[in-house]
Amino acid sequence: MSTEQTRVAIITGGSRGIGREAAQRLAAQGFPVVINYAGNDAEATAAVEAITSAGGRVIAHRADVSEPEAVAGLFDVAEQEYGGVDVVVHSAGVLNALKPIADTDFDEFDRVHRVNVRGTFAVAQQAARRVRDGGAIITFSTSVLGLSLPGYGVYAATKGAVEAITMILARELRGRDVTVNTVAPGPTATELFFDGKDEQTVARMAAQPPLERLGRPDDIAEAVAFLAGPARWVNGQTLRVNGGIA
């Protein structure tokens, strides 16, 4: 890849939370970014306005990541608008209602797997085909996977699949100078994290890390920016960004 070539990033789930923070961070570093979002037009518009007002280049594109044709269209838009794709940050995902495995409904199981596993596979497939040499692919797992917390059976299972897909893709892209890694956040102060949790649960989880606080979206975006840019010798790894929980 030419050193003069502007590096372009796609961020799925980029309208809110960690994805939005990552989009803002990369845009501030000079990446033209394409924000993918599932359906909240207002949040996508707000994300675009925030980046644009800070001097960044950004467009938003609505697409269901679990639909391969929609994901291909997302990459088409990035190529048409900015000339190519160098970095893919796949942060889109959903969390199930926290229940024991014995009480989990299979409709819920299928819904979460469709977005988190099928969606990751669809994005990984397009990224493998279309990210330019010298690029980076970053997926998202969770530190819950290593903690084996009760109630997270469905979600953790999907993220185990994400890690497997990511590690295999890193090896399949041998010779391309494309890094492939996954970021596994710990408890992070986002809308997704707070949903359905009472104050006692939040306080207990915030006290778990030795740093004794929840992560912030900018903590995770910092790791994303590292993997997207200078970390050319980090490949096929899971980076657990969790304040030292495990």
Side-chain angles (χ1 to χ4, degrees):
M1 188 176 65
S2 168
T3 55
E4 287 81 23
Q5 188 178 76
T6 300
R7 288 167 64 81
V8 177
I10 290 175
I11 298 94
T12 70
S15 65
R16 293 187 290 178
I18 291 170
R20 179 169 172 174
E21 192 71 32
Q24 292 179 184
R25 174 68 67 94
L26 293 183
Q29 293 181 349
F31 286 75
V33 298
V34 179
I35 290 174
N36 159 256
Y37 68 105
N40 193 322
D41 293 328
E43 290 285 358
T45 298
V48 167
E49 289 176 350
I51 291 172
T52 301
S53 66
R57 298 172 63 191
V58 58
I59 58 172
H61 181 75
R62 182 173 179 170
D64 180 350
V65 295
S66 70
E67 293 294 343
E69 297 82 4
V71 175
L74 170 64
F75 278 74
D76 289 343
V77 166
E79 290 175 347
Q80 291 161 9
E81 185 72 17
Y82 296 127
V85 179
D86 302 283
V87 173
V88 175
V89 180
H90 179 50
S91 67
V94 294
L95 178 65
N96 59 291
L98 301 183
K99 294 180 180 179
I101 290 171
D103 299 330
T104 296
D105 179 87
F106 271 86
D107 287 340
E108 179 76 350
F109 178 95
D110 290 341
R111 180 186 71 85
V112 178
H113 273 252
R114 181 174 180 83
V115 175
N116 292 0
V117 180
R118 179 182 167 98
T120 296
F121 200 93
V123 171
Q125 184 177 76
Q126 287 298 317
R129 294 172 177 173
R130 300 168 76 167
V131 165
R132 293 185 286 208
D133 291 359
I137 301 168
I138 302 160
T139 63
F140 268 75
S141 181
T142 174
S143 288
V144 167
L145 189 58
L147 298 172
S148 301
L149 297 177
Y152 283 88
V154 173
Y155 184 66
T158 68
K159 294 305 185 177
V162 168
E163 291 194 18
I165 292 166
T166 305
M167 299 309 116
I168 290 169
L169 184 61
R171 286 147 183 82
E172 290 180 347
L173 295 185
R174 173 182 290 273
R176 291 269 307 279
D177 190 29
V178 173
T179 62
V180 189
N181 296 285
T182 193
V183 173
T188 305
T190 65
E191 183 180 335
L192 182 67
F193 170 78
F194 287 120
D195 186 34
K197 295 182 178 70
D198 58 30
E199 290 185 11
Q200 184 178 8
T201 300
V202 171
R204 175 176 54 79
M205 296 183 77
Q208 284 181 310
L211 297 180
E212 294 187 326
R213 66 171 175 85
L214 294 176
R216 298 183 298 265
D218 64 289
D219 292 319
I220 315 304
E222 185 173 43
V224 169
F226 171 65
L227 293 174
R232 300 309 305 166
W233 195 235
V234 180
N235 189 33
Q237 304 299 316
T238 297
L239 181 57
R240 305 206 178 279
V241 188
N242 60 23
I245 292 177

